[in-house]
Amino acid sequence: MAAFLAAPAPALALAADLRPPSQKVDIGRIAGRWYEVARLPNKIQRDCQGGTSDWARTAGGYAVVQTCHRGSLSAPPTQWKAQARIVDPLTDGRIRLSYFGGILNVEYWVLESRSDQGWLLLGTPNGRYLWLMAQKPILSAAAKAQAVSRIRQLGYDVAALEFPLPARR
């Protein structure tokens, strides 16, 4: 799971139905590799292909390594490293990632988790950034359609979604 580094942005209007997570997330399923299936455009990931996010349990939360390839899957990897901790233990749906030794802290919300289908939606509280992440590089057409439908229900412009090339395993 996870999202890529999102630079702080000025406060924007939230997506129509975006609220703090209330659904309990099975935090034990967060560990491992997550593949980026779709995202809203952002400067940090411009031209990124084959995005992955690797989460490893640590004593204080998780060590996270986010990777993508600029331009093509054969390009050298670009990586961002972060430490993650759960902000809301009631739902485990609010996660704070700390980059560059704590210089930059970004909160992400698990907006939807469909562990039975192997995907989740991750976004920032201001509604500006969103990612569809999956436990496999490619989602089935039905699961992808369901995820995109949920993104639309949350008030996001699905026409703006980018679908980068999937990572190789």
Side-chain angles (χ1 to χ4, degrees):
M1 172 192 109
F4 287 83
L5 177 66
L12 300 175
L14 295 176
D17 292 331
L18 192 59
R19 294 180 183 89
S22 59
Q23 173 187 12
K24 178 72 174 163
V25 175
D26 183 356
I27 202 66
R29 301 190 84 170
I30 298 284
R33 174 163 282 183
W34 288 82
Y35 297 87
E36 182 184 47
V37 175
R39 65 175 177 251
L40 286 178
N42 63 75
K43 290 180 183 178
I44 300 294
Q45 287 184 278
R46 183 171 289 137
D47 207 24
C48 272
Q49 305 297 324
T52 60
S53 190
D54 293 295
W55 290 62
R57 189 87 172 124
T58 65
Y62 293 87
V64 182
V65 177
Q66 299 168 327
T67 305
C68 82
H69 303 270
R70 300 264 185 212
S72 76
L73 295 175
S74 59
T78 298
Q79 292 189 327
W80 300 272
K81 295 182 181 182
Q83 294 298 313
R85 68 177 179 82
I86 305 305
V87 176
D88 177 10
L90 184 62
T91 65
D92 291 335
R94 292 176 47 214
I95 303 166
R96 177 151 302 153
L97 270 69
S98 175
Y99 299 90
F100 312 114
I103 294 172
L104 177 63
N105 294 288
V106 181
E107 187 169 318
Y108 297 94
W109 290 355
V110 178
L111 301 171
E112 185 80 21
S113 177
R114 298 286 175 97
S115 57
D116 59 323
Q117 295 180 12
W119 62 266
L120 60 81
L121 298 176
L122 199 63
T124 54
N126 65 8
R128 183 173 182 176
Y129 301 103
L130 174 93
W131 294 266
L132 168 56
M133 304 296 291
Q135 293 175 313
K136 295 180 181 177
I138 299 174
L139 277 176
S140 71
K144 190 174 179 180
Q146 185 177 43
V148 170
S149 176
R150 183 64 181 131
I151 291 168
R152 182 181 294 108
Q153 288 172 356
L154 287 168
Y156 290 97
D157 178 7
V158 296
L161 287 173
E162 297 177 343
F163 292 88
L165 294 173
R168 298 177 185 141
R169 282 193 179 255

